[in-house]
Amino acid sequence: MASEPLGVVGAGWVGLVTAASFAELGHEVVVRDVDPERVAALGRGDVPIHEPGLAEAVARNRDRIRFTLDLDELLGSVTAAFVCVGTPSMYSGDADLSAVWQVIDELPEPGEPLLLIMKSTVPVGTGERVRARLDARGLAHVGYVSNPEFLAEGTALANFREPDRVVVGGFAQADADRVAGLYEPLDAPIVRTDVASAEMIKLASNAALMTRISFINEIANVCELVGADVEEVARGVGLDRRLGPHFLRAGIGYGGSCFPKDASALKQLAANSGYHFQLLTAVIEVNELQKRRVVQKLQNHLGSLRGKTVALLGLAFKPHTNDMREAPSLVLAPRLLAEGAEVRAWDPVALDEARGLLGGVTFAETVLEAVRDADAAVIVTEWPELADLATAEVREAMRTPLIVDGRNLLDPVVARAAGFTYMGIGRPEAFVSELPETEEPDTTLRS
Ligand SMILES: NC(=O)c1ccc[n+]([C@@H]2O[C@H](COP(=O)([O-])OP(=O)(O)OC[C@H]3O[C@@H](n4cnc5c(N)ncnc54)[C@H](O)[C@@H]3O)[C@@H](O)[C@H]2O)c1
């Protein structure tokens, strides 16, 4: 495959990973963003997001990647461009496509030949609407291919190199062939389909993953009531080849820049088309409730949280990222503050992002600083740094050695042997130690 210059519109997680990865494959890449600070930082070699290996990949390919604010510079250099702009939720729950429309409306007319390759996650029907808008603007020569992105933050570069599949949905065979050709060096299965189906594959994949998460979380909640251990249950279920082990980790729910908004967009897409998507509605509700169960668990052990200090360990929506979008910590911290608790928070990479989002919270630079004199430590994000939380040093630093493990990261036997009261999600509770003398604990599970 001959390398050709490629454009990338939007320098966020998807855009930067796409740019760095195609540059690694030998392409010249021009990246355009509308955020002057971001473009300036990238121009200096500063990658403004935390994604393992990304800064190194951008640096390695410095000679092949250019960053610009100027769309004309991109259009003057390439004949194919990936659209990687954000598609957040609107108040209505529908996807906000204003950045996508901005890209379309900024294209000059008449213009040079161009192929737009949509990587942003968009509702089914968007491709048809974009095609109609291009045609109405006299831009029939601009091609359009849907090529949804499936990367997971934290492992994004590896996901690009070894995708489970690449989905390509085109209106014109030649355009789809061209996009499929770009991925040829990866030797990945390519799903060639129509545009609407390509758009739906992305939404359906995310919905299926979320359904598994909410499913195992509900199993975990029942496990707590009947004395089973969800970790054992998930192991046994996951060995069934019809099911597989993935996305069966019980915890305090999913977050992030994709799942919540994509669930909402699919639910609204269905509703707008006259269908009530009951299962997805339940998946979303289970996830919302799951984030709050930590508060109940703390109350069960500490009684009222008024005046208690709770250490929130991990703030990003998942480990190995500084992405705070829809992170469970954004729900947990205000709920704890509302109950009168003092909240101290730690994260190895997301503190700067979190500061602007979590008013009333005190931030700690180290785990030890966060747990000092705390009445409870809550593992919110399963950072590897927390895997050995249950040490004598941490126990002695805490006022009450209580760990609520929202990600089932620790071994309960080890944590209890180290002198902690340990509660996971869907794991049997052992004896309760060291209850405060002044308040009666609430031992009813109020879920
Ligand atoms: N982040 C993920 O893990 C992930 C995974 C798969 C798919 N997606 C989808 O990919 C899309 C992008 O996600 P992201 O996380 O990279 O978003 P992001 O918010 O990190 O980045 C979007 C970027 O687009 C820029 N932008 C906005 N309007 C623009 C315009 N008109 N021209 C150029 N740049 C513009 C913004 O300034 C921003 O830098 C979304 O639709 C998302 O759902 C994201």
PDB file of all heavy atoms in Angstrom, residues 9-14 32-35 38 84-87 99 102-103 120-121 149 151 153 202 257-258 261 325, ligand 1:
ATOM      1  N   VAL A   9      -9.277  15.541  11.668  1.00  0.00           N
ATOM      2  CA  VAL A   9      -9.984  16.731  12.146  1.00  0.00           C
ATOM      3  C   VAL A   9     -10.432  16.453  13.576  1.00  0.00           C
ATOM      4  O   VAL A   9     -11.284  15.592  13.815  1.00  0.00           O
ATOM      5  CB  VAL A   9     -11.199  17.047  11.244  1.00  0.00           C
ATOM      6  CG1 VAL A   9     -11.897  18.309  11.729  1.00  0.00           C
ATOM      7  CG2 VAL A   9     -10.758  17.191   9.798  1.00  0.00           C
ATOM      8  N   GLY A  10      -9.839  17.165  14.536  1.00  0.00           N
ATOM      9  CA  GLY A  10     -10.124  16.926  15.955  1.00  0.00           C
ATOM     10  C   GLY A  10      -8.936  16.233  16.598  1.00  0.00           C
ATOM     11  O   GLY A  10      -8.598  15.106  16.228  1.00  0.00           O
ATOM     12  N   ALA A  11      -8.286  16.919  17.540  1.00  0.00           N
ATOM     13  CA  ALA A  11      -7.071  16.373  18.163  1.00  0.00           C
ATOM     14  C   ALA A  11      -7.353  15.931  19.588  1.00  0.00           C
ATOM     15  O   ALA A  11      -6.650  16.289  20.525  1.00  0.00           O
ATOM     16  CB  ALA A  11      -5.953  17.418  18.123  1.00  0.00           C
ATOM     17  N   GLY A  12      -8.407  15.148  19.773  1.00  0.00           N
ATOM     18  CA  GLY A  12      -8.695  14.570  21.088  1.00  0.00           C
ATOM     19  C   GLY A  12      -8.120  13.166  21.158  1.00  0.00           C
ATOM     20  O   GLY A  12      -7.156  12.838  20.461  1.00  0.00           O
ATOM     21  N   TRP A  13      -8.718  12.338  21.992  1.00  0.00           N
ATOM     22  CA  TRP A  13      -8.212  10.978  22.178  1.00  0.00           C
ATOM     23  C   TRP A  13      -8.166  10.246  20.840  1.00  0.00           C
ATOM     24  O   TRP A  13      -7.163   9.675  20.454  1.00  0.00           O
ATOM     25  CB  TRP A  13      -9.100  10.209  23.165  1.00  0.00           C
ATOM     26  CG  TRP A  13      -8.432  10.021  24.475  1.00  0.00           C
ATOM     27  CD1 TRP A  13      -7.609   8.997  24.830  1.00  0.00           C
ATOM     28  CD2 TRP A  13      -8.499  10.893  25.603  1.00  0.00           C
ATOM     29  NE1 TRP A  13      -7.165   9.168  26.115  1.00  0.00           N
ATOM     30  CE2 TRP A  13      -7.696  10.307  26.617  1.00  0.00           C
ATOM     31  CE3 TRP A  13      -9.163  12.087  25.874  1.00  0.00           C
ATOM     32  CZ2 TRP A  13      -7.545  10.887  27.854  1.00  0.00           C
ATOM     33  CZ3 TRP A  13      -9.011  12.661  27.111  1.00  0.00           C
ATOM     34  CH2 TRP A  13      -8.205  12.076  28.084  1.00  0.00           C
ATOM     35  N   VAL A  14      -9.293  10.265  20.140  1.00  0.00           N
ATOM     36  CA  VAL A  14      -9.381   9.495  18.907  1.00  0.00           C
ATOM     37  C   VAL A  14      -8.503  10.110  17.824  1.00  0.00           C
ATOM     38  O   VAL A  14      -7.759   9.412  17.138  1.00  0.00           O
ATOM     39  CB  VAL A  14     -10.857   9.400  18.448  1.00  0.00           C
ATOM     40  CG1 VAL A  14     -10.956   8.802  17.056  1.00  0.00           C
ATOM     41  CG2 VAL A  14     -11.648   8.555  19.439  1.00  0.00           C
ATOM     42  N   ARG A  32      -5.954  18.912  12.369  1.00  0.00           N
ATOM     43  CA  ARG A  32      -6.548  20.240  12.568  1.00  0.00           C
ATOM     44  C   ARG A  32      -7.484  20.212  13.784  1.00  0.00           C
ATOM     45  O   ARG A  32      -8.304  19.301  13.935  1.00  0.00           O
ATOM     46  CB  ARG A  32      -7.354  20.600  11.316  1.00  0.00           C
ATOM     47  CG  ARG A  32      -7.805  22.046  11.278  1.00  0.00           C
ATOM     48  CD  ARG A  32      -9.247  22.206  11.718  1.00  0.00           C
ATOM     49  NE  ARG A  32      -9.626  23.606  11.709  1.00  0.00           N
ATOM     50  CZ  ARG A  32     -10.848  24.036  11.515  1.00  0.00           C
ATOM     51  NH1 ARG A  32     -11.830  23.198  11.311  1.00  0.00           N
ATOM     52  NH2 ARG A  32     -11.108  25.325  11.551  1.00  0.00           N
ATOM     53  N   ASP A  33      -7.323  21.192  14.658  1.00  0.00           N
ATOM     54  CA  ASP A  33      -8.250  21.342  15.776  1.00  0.00           C
ATOM     55  C   ASP A  33      -8.643  22.818  15.841  1.00  0.00           C
ATOM     56  O   ASP A  33      -7.971  23.674  15.260  1.00  0.00           O
ATOM     57  CB  ASP A  33      -7.605  20.898  17.094  1.00  0.00           C
ATOM     58  CG  ASP A  33      -8.644  20.526  18.145  1.00  0.00           C
ATOM     59  OD1 ASP A  33      -9.323  21.445  18.676  1.00  0.00           O
ATOM     60  OD2 ASP A  33      -8.806  19.325  18.441  1.00  0.00           O
ATOM     61  N   VAL A  34      -9.752  23.103  16.546  1.00  0.00           N
ATOM     62  CA  VAL A  34     -10.198  24.494  16.653  1.00  0.00           C
ATOM     63  C   VAL A  34      -9.752  25.135  17.965  1.00  0.00           C
ATOM     64  O   VAL A  34     -10.016  26.314  18.196  1.00  0.00           O
ATOM     65  CB  VAL A  34     -11.747  24.585  16.561  1.00  0.00           C
ATOM     66  CG1 VAL A  34     -12.209  24.354  15.130  1.00  0.00           C
ATOM     67  CG2 VAL A  34     -12.415  23.617  17.528  1.00  0.00           C
ATOM     68  N   ASP A  35      -9.099  24.337  18.828  1.00  0.00           N
ATOM     69  CA  ASP A  35      -8.701  24.837  20.138  1.00  0.00           C
ATOM     70  C   ASP A  35      -7.264  25.360  20.049  1.00  0.00           C
ATOM     71  O   ASP A  35      -6.311  24.572  19.952  1.00  0.00           O
ATOM     72  CB  ASP A  35      -8.826  23.674  21.138  1.00  0.00           C
ATOM     73  CG  ASP A  35      -8.388  24.047  22.536  1.00  0.00           C
ATOM     74  OD1 ASP A  35      -7.713  25.088  22.694  1.00  0.00           O
ATOM     75  OD2 ASP A  35      -8.711  23.294  23.475  1.00  0.00           O
ATOM     76  N   ARG A  38      -4.673  23.945  22.483  1.00  0.00           N
ATOM     77  CA  ARG A  38      -4.341  22.546  22.199  1.00  0.00           C
ATOM     78  C   ARG A  38      -3.365  22.450  21.027  1.00  0.00           C
ATOM     79  O   ARG A  38      -2.370  21.735  21.077  1.00  0.00           O
ATOM     80  CB  ARG A  38      -5.640  21.776  21.908  1.00  0.00           C
ATOM     81  CG  ARG A  38      -5.447  20.320  21.630  1.00  0.00           C
ATOM     82  CD  ARG A  38      -6.728  19.552  21.823  1.00  0.00           C
ATOM     83  NE  ARG A  38      -7.007  19.380  23.240  1.00  0.00           N
ATOM     84  CZ  ARG A  38      -7.401  18.238  23.799  1.00  0.00           C
ATOM     85  NH1 ARG A  38      -7.588  17.173  23.069  1.00  0.00           N
ATOM     86  NH2 ARG A  38      -7.630  18.147  25.093  1.00  0.00           N
ATOM     87  N   CYS A  84     -12.784  13.322  13.685  1.00  0.00           N
ATOM     88  CA  CYS A  84     -12.656  12.766  15.037  1.00  0.00           C
ATOM     89  C   CYS A  84     -13.107  13.807  16.068  1.00  0.00           C
ATOM     90  O   CYS A  84     -12.529  13.912  17.157  1.00  0.00           O
ATOM     91  CB  CYS A  84     -11.209  12.376  15.322  1.00  0.00           C
ATOM     92  SG  CYS A  84     -10.485  11.293  14.082  1.00  0.00           S
ATOM     93  N   VAL A  85     -14.099  14.583  15.734  1.00  0.00           N
ATOM     94  CA  VAL A  85     -14.562  15.629  16.663  1.00  0.00           C
ATOM     95  C   VAL A  85     -15.481  15.014  17.708  1.00  0.00           C
ATOM     96  O   VAL A  85     -16.011  13.921  17.531  1.00  0.00           O
ATOM     97  CB  VAL A  85     -15.286  16.766  15.904  1.00  0.00           C
ATOM     98  CG1 VAL A  85     -14.324  17.462  14.942  1.00  0.00           C
ATOM     99  CG2 VAL A  85     -16.503  16.246  15.151  1.00  0.00           C
ATOM    100  N   GLY A  86     -15.683  15.740  18.809  1.00  0.00           N
ATOM    101  CA  GLY A  86     -16.515  15.228  19.893  1.00  0.00           C
ATOM    102  C   GLY A  86     -17.997  15.238  19.518  1.00  0.00           C
ATOM    103  O   GLY A  86     -18.447  16.086  18.735  1.00  0.00           O
ATOM    104  N   THR A  87     -18.729  14.268  20.078  1.00  0.00           N
ATOM    105  CA  THR A  87     -20.181  14.209  19.880  1.00  0.00           C
ATOM    106  C   THR A  87     -20.841  13.989  21.239  1.00  0.00           C
ATOM    107  O   THR A  87     -21.383  12.915  21.505  1.00  0.00           O
ATOM    108  CB  THR A  87     -20.551  13.064  18.908  1.00  0.00           C
ATOM    109  OG1 THR A  87     -19.906  11.852  19.343  1.00  0.00           O
ATOM    110  CG2 THR A  87     -20.132  13.380  17.487  1.00  0.00           C
ATOM    111  N   ALA A  99     -20.355  19.868  16.239  1.00  0.00           N
ATOM    112  CA  ALA A  99     -18.969  19.899  15.747  1.00  0.00           C
ATOM    113  C   ALA A  99     -18.869  19.208  14.385  1.00  0.00           C
ATOM    114  O   ALA A  99     -18.099  19.630  13.522  1.00  0.00           O
ATOM    115  CB  ALA A  99     -18.027  19.238  16.758  1.00  0.00           C
ATOM    116  N   GLN A 102     -20.192  21.594  11.894  1.00  0.00           N
ATOM    117  CA  GLN A 102     -19.218  22.680  11.694  1.00  0.00           C
ATOM    118  C   GLN A 102     -18.168  22.259  10.666  1.00  0.00           C
ATOM    119  O   GLN A 102     -17.806  23.040   9.779  1.00  0.00           O
ATOM    120  CB  GLN A 102     -18.550  23.007  13.030  1.00  0.00           C
ATOM    121  CG  GLN A 102     -17.787  24.314  13.019  1.00  0.00           C
ATOM    122  CD  GLN A 102     -16.992  24.509  14.309  1.00  0.00           C
ATOM    123  OE1 GLN A 102     -17.181  23.804  15.302  1.00  0.00           O
ATOM    124  NE2 GLN A 102     -16.110  25.485  14.291  1.00  0.00           N
ATOM    125  N   VAL A 103     -17.721  21.009  10.787  1.00  0.00           N
ATOM    126  CA  VAL A 103     -16.720  20.517   9.831  1.00  0.00           C
ATOM    127  C   VAL A 103     -17.299  20.543   8.413  1.00  0.00           C
ATOM    128  O   VAL A 103     -16.655  21.034   7.475  1.00  0.00           O
ATOM    129  CB  VAL A 103     -16.279  19.073  10.201  1.00  0.00           C
ATOM    130  CG1 VAL A 103     -15.347  18.503   9.130  1.00  0.00           C
ATOM    131  CG2 VAL A 103     -15.600  19.050  11.561  1.00  0.00           C
ATOM    132  N   SER A 120     -15.918   9.752  14.446  1.00  0.00           N
ATOM    133  CA  SER A 120     -16.738  10.148  15.598  1.00  0.00           C
ATOM    134  C   SER A 120     -17.936   9.207  15.676  1.00  0.00           C
ATOM    135  O   SER A 120     -18.424   8.721  14.658  1.00  0.00           O
ATOM    136  CB  SER A 120     -17.244  11.577  15.416  1.00  0.00           C
ATOM    137  OG  SER A 120     -16.167  12.474  15.397  1.00  0.00           O
ATOM    138  N   THR A 121     -18.405   8.976  16.911  1.00  0.00           N
ATOM    139  CA  THR A 121     -19.580   8.124  17.100  1.00  0.00           C
ATOM    140  C   THR A 121     -20.821   8.971  16.869  1.00  0.00           C
ATOM    141  O   THR A 121     -21.023   9.982  17.547  1.00  0.00           O
ATOM    142  CB  THR A 121     -19.589   7.552  18.533  1.00  0.00           C
ATOM    143  OG1 THR A 121     -18.350   6.876  18.747  1.00  0.00           O
ATOM    144  CG2 THR A 121     -20.748   6.586  18.726  1.00  0.00           C
ATOM    145  N   GLU A 149     -14.835   4.138  15.511  1.00  0.00           N
ATOM    146  CA  GLU A 149     -13.636   3.848  16.299  1.00  0.00           C
ATOM    147  C   GLU A 149     -14.029   3.024  17.533  1.00  0.00           C
ATOM    148  O   GLU A 149     -14.997   3.343  18.204  1.00  0.00           O
ATOM    149  CB  GLU A 149     -12.990   5.170  16.720  1.00  0.00           C
ATOM    150  CG  GLU A 149     -11.766   5.018  17.572  1.00  0.00           C
ATOM    151  CD  GLU A 149     -10.711   4.146  16.915  1.00  0.00           C
ATOM    152  OE1 GLU A 149     -10.282   4.471  15.807  1.00  0.00           O
ATOM    153  OE2 GLU A 149     -10.342   3.118  17.510  1.00  0.00           O
ATOM    154  N   LEU A 151     -11.509   2.099  19.965  1.00  0.00           N
ATOM    155  CA  LEU A 151     -10.411   2.086  20.938  1.00  0.00           C
ATOM    156  C   LEU A 151     -10.933   2.253  22.361  1.00  0.00           C
ATOM    157  O   LEU A 151     -11.985   2.853  22.585  1.00  0.00           O
ATOM    158  CB  LEU A 151      -9.398   3.184  20.622  1.00  0.00           C
ATOM    159  CG  LEU A 151      -9.807   4.656  20.784  1.00  0.00           C
ATOM    160  CD1 LEU A 151      -9.768   5.126  22.222  1.00  0.00           C
ATOM    161  CD2 LEU A 151      -8.894   5.520  19.941  1.00  0.00           C
ATOM    162  N   GLU A 153      -9.711   3.825  25.992  1.00  0.00           N
ATOM    163  CA  GLU A 153      -8.682   4.667  26.587  1.00  0.00           C
ATOM    164  C   GLU A 153      -7.830   3.819  27.526  1.00  0.00           C
ATOM    165  O   GLU A 153      -8.342   2.939  28.204  1.00  0.00           O
ATOM    166  CB  GLU A 153      -9.317   5.855  27.315  1.00  0.00           C
ATOM    167  CG  GLU A 153      -9.900   6.843  26.325  1.00  0.00           C
ATOM    168  CD  GLU A 153     -10.556   8.047  26.989  1.00  0.00           C
ATOM    169  OE1 GLU A 153     -10.241   8.350  28.136  1.00  0.00           O
ATOM    170  OE2 GLU A 153     -11.398   8.673  26.322  1.00  0.00           O
ATOM    171  N   LYS A 202     -21.274   0.381  15.899  1.00  0.00           N
ATOM    172  CA  LYS A 202     -20.606   1.081  17.003  1.00  0.00           C
ATOM    173  C   LYS A 202     -21.543   1.228  18.212  1.00  0.00           C
ATOM    174  O   LYS A 202     -21.179   0.899  19.346  1.00  0.00           O
ATOM    175  CB  LYS A 202     -20.140   2.468  16.524  1.00  0.00           C
ATOM    176  CG  LYS A 202     -19.593   3.362  17.618  1.00  0.00           C
ATOM    177  CD  LYS A 202     -18.344   2.789  18.256  1.00  0.00           C
ATOM    178  CE  LYS A 202     -17.955   3.562  19.510  1.00  0.00           C
ATOM    179  NZ  LYS A 202     -16.851   2.965  20.224  1.00  0.00           N
ATOM    180  N   SER A 257     -16.058   8.920  28.518  1.00  0.00           N
ATOM    181  CA  SER A 257     -16.555   9.852  27.513  1.00  0.00           C
ATOM    182  C   SER A 257     -17.476   9.171  26.520  1.00  0.00           C
ATOM    183  O   SER A 257     -18.102   9.833  25.705  1.00  0.00           O
ATOM    184  CB  SER A 257     -15.370  10.456  26.765  1.00  0.00           C
ATOM    185  OG  SER A 257     -14.694   9.431  26.061  1.00  0.00           O
ATOM    186  N   CYS A 258     -17.547   7.846  26.547  1.00  0.00           N
ATOM    187  CA  CYS A 258     -18.314   7.152  25.504  1.00  0.00           C
ATOM    188  C   CYS A 258     -19.563   6.458  26.015  1.00  0.00           C
ATOM    189  O   CYS A 258     -20.679   6.760  25.550  1.00  0.00           O
ATOM    190  CB  CYS A 258     -17.417   6.133  24.811  1.00  0.00           C
ATOM    191  SG  CYS A 258     -16.185   6.919  23.767  1.00  0.00           S
ATOM    192  N   LYS A 261     -22.763   8.582  27.177  1.00  0.00           N
ATOM    193  CA  LYS A 261     -23.398   9.397  26.122  1.00  0.00           C
ATOM    194  C   LYS A 261     -23.901   8.528  24.972  1.00  0.00           C
ATOM    195  O   LYS A 261     -24.924   8.816  24.366  1.00  0.00           O
ATOM    196  CB  LYS A 261     -22.439  10.480  25.629  1.00  0.00           C
ATOM    197  CG  LYS A 261     -21.401  10.008  24.639  1.00  0.00           C
ATOM    198  CD  LYS A 261     -20.673  11.153  23.981  1.00  0.00           C
ATOM    199  CE  LYS A 261     -19.569  10.655  23.071  1.00  0.00           C
ATOM    200  NZ  LYS A 261     -20.011   9.890  21.906  1.00  0.00           N
ATOM    201  N   ARG A 325     -14.323  12.489  32.223  1.00  0.00           N
ATOM    202  CA  ARG A 325     -15.690  12.612  31.720  1.00  0.00           C
ATOM    203  C   ARG A 325     -16.572  11.487  32.279  1.00  0.00           C
ATOM    204  O   ARG A 325     -16.236  10.320  32.156  1.00  0.00           O
ATOM    205  CB  ARG A 325     -15.687  12.620  30.184  1.00  0.00           C
ATOM    206  CG  ARG A 325     -15.107  13.917  29.620  1.00  0.00           C
ATOM    207  CD  ARG A 325     -15.045  13.921  28.120  1.00  0.00           C
ATOM    208  NE  ARG A 325     -13.960  13.101  27.599  1.00  0.00           N
ATOM    209  CZ  ARG A 325     -13.610  13.070  26.315  1.00  0.00           C
ATOM    210  NH1 ARG A 325     -14.259  13.789  25.428  1.00  0.00           N
ATOM    211  NH2 ARG A 325     -12.610  12.310  25.904  1.00  0.00           N
TER     212      ARG A 325
HETATM  213  N1  LIG B   1     -12.407   8.678  23.665  1.00  0.00           N
HETATM  214  C1  LIG B   1     -12.705   7.438  23.329  1.00  0.00           C
HETATM  215  O1  LIG B   1     -12.335   6.493  24.029  1.00  0.00           O
HETATM  216  C2  LIG B   1     -13.492   7.145  22.092  1.00  0.00           C
HETATM  217  C3  LIG B   1     -13.533   5.829  21.599  1.00  0.00           C
HETATM  218  C4  LIG B   1     -14.273   5.569  20.449  1.00  0.00           C
HETATM  219  C5  LIG B   1     -14.984   6.577  19.834  1.00  0.00           C
HETATM  220  N2  LIG B   1     -14.956   7.843  20.348  1.00  0.00           N
HETATM  221  C6  LIG B   1     -15.702   8.870  19.656  1.00  0.00           C
HETATM  222  O2  LIG B   1     -14.797   9.678  18.910  1.00  0.00           O
HETATM  223  C7  LIG B   1     -15.201  11.050  18.921  1.00  0.00           C
HETATM  224  C8  LIG B   1     -14.110  11.908  19.508  1.00  0.00           C
HETATM  225  O3  LIG B   1     -13.895  11.496  20.852  1.00  0.00           O
HETATM  226  P1  LIG B   1     -12.671  12.066  21.699  1.00  0.00           P
HETATM  227  O4  LIG B   1     -12.728  11.385  23.016  1.00  0.00           O
HETATM  228  O5  LIG B   1     -11.448  12.000  20.882  1.00  0.00           O
HETATM  229  O6  LIG B   1     -13.135  13.583  21.845  1.00  0.00           O
HETATM  230  P2  LIG B   1     -12.333  14.811  22.474  1.00  0.00           P
HETATM  231  O7  LIG B   1     -13.350  15.681  23.090  1.00  0.00           O
HETATM  232  O8  LIG B   1     -11.191  14.295  23.282  1.00  0.00           O
HETATM  233  O9  LIG B   1     -11.712  15.534  21.204  1.00  0.00           O
HETATM  234  C9  LIG B   1     -12.466  16.209  20.247  1.00  0.00           C
HETATM  235  C10 LIG B   1     -11.593  17.286  19.657  1.00  0.00           C
HETATM  236  O10 LIG B   1     -12.270  17.852  18.527  1.00  0.00           O
HETATM  237  C11 LIG B   1     -11.981  19.232  18.509  1.00  0.00           C
HETATM  238  N3  LIG B   1     -12.959  19.909  17.633  1.00  0.00           N
HETATM  239  C12 LIG B   1     -14.226  20.292  17.895  1.00  0.00           C
HETATM  240  N4  LIG B   1     -14.771  20.867  16.813  1.00  0.00           N
HETATM  241  C13 LIG B   1     -13.840  20.845  15.836  1.00  0.00           C
HETATM  242  C14 LIG B   1     -13.793  21.262  14.485  1.00  0.00           C
HETATM  243  N5  LIG B   1     -14.839  21.822  13.900  1.00  0.00           N
HETATM  244  N6  LIG B   1     -12.658  21.098  13.779  1.00  0.00           N
HETATM  245  C15 LIG B   1     -11.591  20.516  14.362  1.00  0.00           C
HETATM  246  N7  LIG B   1     -11.566  20.079  15.643  1.00  0.00           N
HETATM  247  C16 LIG B   1     -12.670  20.238  16.359  1.00  0.00           C
HETATM  248  C17 LIG B   1     -12.018  19.631  19.959  1.00  0.00           C
HETATM  249  O11 LIG B   1     -11.372  20.860  20.183  1.00  0.00           O
HETATM  250  C18 LIG B   1     -11.296  18.437  20.609  1.00  0.00           C
HETATM  251  O12 LIG B   1      -9.909  18.652  20.700  1.00  0.00           O
HETATM  252  C19 LIG B   1     -16.504  11.084  19.719  1.00  0.00           C
HETATM  253  O13 LIG B   1     -17.594  10.967  18.832  1.00  0.00           O
HETATM  254  C20 LIG B   1     -16.412   9.844  20.588  1.00  0.00           C
HETATM  255  O14 LIG B   1     -17.668   9.341  20.934  1.00  0.00           O
HETATM  256  C21 LIG B   1     -14.205   8.152  21.443  1.00  0.00           C
END
